[in-house]
Every structure is written in structure tokens, then in C-alpha cells.
């Protein structure tokens, strides 16, 4: 056994030292080695995900800003329809009818002057012809007032169809409004249309009130004139003369 021990030791040393001797020859160069670092890879993935999230947030922000600008443009868009001209024409027609009032117009000064001249106390010095002429003038004024009231009523009724069509158009514009400004403008025009209708109602009430006031003034003046005429009739020597009446002759 002792004879084979040195050879076994030699073989063992050779086997142990062989890889070390062959290592420089078999190993690749340092620059050709690929090193995988899982921690570095994870950090890179997280950074990329964060960058992608930031880009998505920026895209969403830009989309929101674009939508906001679109909404602002819609809110600032004006209503394509305007009823102002139609409303003004209706008001002008009613005003023209009121301005065409006969005899006594809707004027405070003219009313005061007319009542001083035609209504009120009957002058005692007026002749019978003057009394008759005055009564006829007042009657004509009353009839004119009634005619004016009817004309105003007819004019207001004529505005009903135009107002109905305009109201339907404005309601449609309001319901189809694309923004706040259009809806507000449609609402304002509806309010203006209602104001015009209220003006027509006031005009009718004023014309009817004028006709009724003229009728009452004529009635009051006629009563005063009747008293004066009765006084004159009963005054001795001025009116009726009493006498004997013979119904049957002999």
C-alpha cells in the first residue's frame, strides 16, 4: 500500500489544479458577461409605470381642459333667434291705436281742458242752441270713446296669434339651448313677450276705462243740463205759458 501513495497524491493534485490552470483559457472576457439585477429591473419597471401614469394624467387633464373650453364656448354662444322686433311691432301697433283716440286723448292737460269746456256746470247764460250743441258734442265724444275701446280690443286680439307663434318659437329655442347664455336669452325674451302682453292688457283696460268715464261724464252733464232746462221751462215768462184749453166747441 505504501508503494502506490505518492502516485495517488500526484493524481489528486493534478485534478485539483487543472481547472485553475484552464480557467484563463476557458472563461469569456469581462465585457461579454451579462449581469441580471432583479432590484434594478424592478426599480426601472416602477419608474416606467410612474412615467406612464403621469402621461395618462396629463392626457386626461388636457381632455378636461378641452371639454371645459367647449362648454365655455357653448355657454357663451348667443341665441340665434330674436323676438325683439316682433315684440316692438306689437307694442307700436297698440300705441298707435291709443294715440288715435278721438276728441279727448290720453293726455292729462287735454282732459282737464276738455272737462272745463264740455263737462261740469252748465252756464246759465248759454242759449238753448248752445245747450243742444254741447249735448251733441258730448254724445259724439262718448261714442268715439266706445269706438276707440273696440279698436284697441281688436288690435290686441290681432296680436294674440303673433304672440302665440312667438312664444312657441321661444320655448323651442329654450329647450334646444346649447348653453347657459342661450337659455338665459330665451328666458329673457319670454319675459319680454309677457311684458308686451301685459302692456296690451293695460291698453285694453285703459281704453275701456276711458269709454266708461266719458259715458259717466256725459250722463252727469246731461243731468245738470236737464235741471237747467227744467228751470228755464218753469220760469214764468221764459218757457211754458199756462192757458185754458177748450176741448169741445159749441
Amino acid at each position: 500500500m505504501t508503494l502506490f501513495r505518492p502516485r495517488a497524491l500526484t493524481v489528486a493534485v493534478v485534478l485539483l489544479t487543472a481547472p485553475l490552470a484552464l480557467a484563463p483559457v476557458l472563461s469569456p472576457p469581462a465585457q461579454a458577461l451579462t449581469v441580471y439585477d432583479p432590484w434594478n429591473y424592478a426599480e426601472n419597471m416602477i419608474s416606467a409605470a410612474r412615467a406612464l401614469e403621469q402621461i395618462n394624467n396629463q392626457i386626461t387633464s388636457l381632455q378636461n381642459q378641452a371639454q371645459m373650453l367647449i362648454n365655455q364656448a357653448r355657454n357663451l354662444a348667443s341665441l340665434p333667434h330674436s323676438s325683439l322686433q316682433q315684440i316692438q311691432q306689437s307694442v307700436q301697433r297698440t300705441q298707435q291705436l291709443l294715440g288715435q283716440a278721438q276728441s279727448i286723448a290720453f293726455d292729462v292737460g287735454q282732459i282737464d281742458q276738455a272737462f272745463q269746456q264740455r263737462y261740469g256746470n252748465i252756464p246759465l247764460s248759454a242759449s238753448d242752441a248752445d245747450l243742444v250743441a254741447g249735448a251733441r258734442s258730448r254724445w259724439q265724444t262718448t261714442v268715439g270713446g266706445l269706438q276707440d275701446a273696440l279698436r284697441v280690443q281688436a288690435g290686441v286680439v290681432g296680436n294674440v296669434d303673433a304672440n302665440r307663434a312667438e312664444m312657441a318659437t321661444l320655448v323651442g329655442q329654450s329647450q334646444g339651448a346649447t348653453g347657459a347664455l342661450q337659455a338665459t336669452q330665451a328666458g329673457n325674451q319670454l319675459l319680454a313677450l309677457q311684458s308686451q302682453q301685459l302692456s296690451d292688457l293695460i291698453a285694453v283696460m285703459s281704453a275701456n276705462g276711458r269709454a266708461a268715464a266719458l259715458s259717466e261724464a256725459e250722463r252727469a252733464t246731461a243731468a245738470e243740463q236737464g235741471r237747467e232746462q227744467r228751470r228755464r221751462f218753469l220760469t214764468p215768462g221764459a218757457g211754458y205759458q199756462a192757458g185754458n184749453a177748450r176741448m169741445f166747441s159749441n
Side-chain angles (χ1 to χ4, degrees):
M1 294 296 297
T2 56
L3 295 174
F4 296 95
R5 185 175 299 171
R7 182 178 294 178
L9 180 62
T10 304
V11 172
V13 171
V14 172
L15 293 175
L16 291 173
T17 57
L20 295 176
L22 296 174
V25 178
L26 299 178
S27 62
Q31 62 269 19
L33 294 177
T34 301
V35 180
Y36 174 75
D37 188 353
W39 292 104
N40 187 24
Y41 178 77
E43 289 179 355
N44 292 334
M45 291 297 295
I46 293 174
S47 298
R50 290 176 178 174
L52 180 61
E53 183 180 5
Q54 291 179 354
I55 293 174
N56 290 334
N57 292 336
Q58 291 177 355
I59 293 174
T60 303
S61 177
L62 291 175
Q63 289 176 345
N64 293 334
Q65 291 179 0
Q67 187 63 41
M68 182 179 64
L69 293 175
I70 293 173
N71 293 335
Q72 289 180 353
R74 290 178 177 176
N75 290 331
L76 295 177
S78 299
L79 192 70
H81 176 77
S82 176
S83 60
L84 179 60
Q85 183 177 2
Q86 175 65 34
I87 293 174
Q88 289 179 341
Q89 289 177 354
S90 298
V91 173
Q92 288 175 358
R93 284 194 295 267
T94 304
Q95 287 179 338
Q96 289 176 356
L97 291 174
L98 292 175
Q100 294 171 359
Q102 306 176 48
S103 298
I104 301 177
F106 292 92
D107 182 80
V108 176
Q110 187 176 356
I111 291 173
D112 292 341
Q113 182 180 1
F115 266 75
Q116 289 177 0
Q117 295 176 354
R118 306 180 189 180
Y119 301 90
N121 296 328
I122 300 299
L124 299 178
S125 60
S127 62
D128 292 339
D130 292 337
L131 294 178
V132 172
R136 183 173 182 82
S137 176
R138 289 187 294 272
W139 173 79
Q140 291 175 345
T141 300
T142 301
V143 173
L146 294 173
Q147 183 181 4
D148 293 337
L150 292 175
R151 294 176 72 247
V152 172
Q153 293 174 12
V156 171
V157 170
N159 290 337
V160 171
D161 286 339
N163 292 340
R164 179 187 57 79
E166 197 64 34
M167 182 177 297
T169 301
L170 289 176
V171 171
Q173 292 287 334
S174 177
Q175 292 177 347
T178 59
L181 180 59
Q182 288 189 0
T184 302
Q185 289 178 340
N188 291 337
Q189 292 186 40
L190 283 171
L191 291 176
L193 182 60
Q194 292 180 354
S195 299
Q196 181 262 319
Q197 292 173 335
L198 288 176
S199 299
D200 282 351
L201 179 60
I202 292 173
V204 170
M205 294 176 61
S206 299
N208 291 341
R210 173 177 176 269
L214 291 175
S215 298
E216 291 297 326
E218 181 194 3
R219 187 176 296 109
T221 307
E224 178 65 19
Q225 181 172 330
R227 285 191 294 268
E228 174 60 22
Q229 289 177 333
R230 184 173 61 252
R231 183 192 65 80
R232 295 184 182 185
F233 181 77
L234 296 177
T235 299
Y240 172 73
Q241 298 293 331
N244 296 326
R246 181 179 296 181
M247 299 182 62
F248 301 99
S249 60
N250 296 329

